[in-house]
Amino acid sequence: MHEMAITMSLLDLVLEEAAKAGASKITTVNIVLGEMTGIIDQYVQANFELLSQNTPAEGATLTFQNVPRKARCRQCAHVFQPSDLVWACPQCQSTELEIIGGNELYVESIEVE
């Protein structure tokens, strides 16, 4: 259900930025979405279609750039993609990791008329 709140905030942001630009219609919203956010893009899409009715964003296309999770080992600095079950460095087996990718959630750009 957190997709609804996320989508409401996303729509508010998009409408605000379009109004600042003097745009009458939003055609595309490009979103960067990290794997670790737990946000499901299909739910955001469905919620956006519902919430944007009768607004300048109605009918806009949402595109998603999905970013996989990525970690850096704090012991040997190796960068890798942890699996669902193994969160240890494949080089040195350390579990002292820094998450460096996969938490992203932002609007990269908006296309308007």
Side-chain angles (χ1 to χ4, degrees):
M1 290 299 287
H2 59 285
E3 281 87 353
M4 181 60 83
I6 296 291
T7 307
M8 289 171 71
S9 295
L10 175 123
L11 180 59
D12 289 344
L13 171 72
V14 167
L15 292 172
E16 181 181 321
E17 292 302 316
K20 284 181 189 176
S24 60
K25 177 104 177 100
I26 299 164
T27 58
T28 306
V29 180
N30 300 301
I31 302 166
V32 176
L33 182 62
E35 176 183 6
M36 293 179 57
T37 63
I39 305 294
I40 299 171
D41 52 8
Q42 293 94 338
Y43 293 164
V44 173
Q45 178 71 50
N47 290 332
F48 190 87
E49 289 171 9
L50 177 69
L51 295 170
S52 66
Q53 291 178 3
N54 302 314
T55 74
E58 184 172 12
T61 301
L62 299 186
T63 64
F64 295 91
Q65 176 188 345
N66 294 301
V67 180
R69 62 183 155 224
K70 194 182 296 183
R72 177 184 301 120
C73 177
R74 289 191 172 144
Q75 295 297 314
C76 71
H78 180 66
V79 175
F80 64 100
Q81 280 187 275
S83 72
D84 286 337
L85 300 175
V86 179
W87 282 74
C89 176
Q91 298 283 43
C92 71
Q93 308 311 312
S94 173
T95 56
E96 294 182 39
L97 308 176
E98 174 185 4
I99 304 302
I100 59 170
N103 287 321
E104 298 83 356
L105 176 56
Y106 60 90
V107 175
E108 184 174 53
S109 63
I110 302 166
E111 298 173 26
V112 297
E113 291 179 356

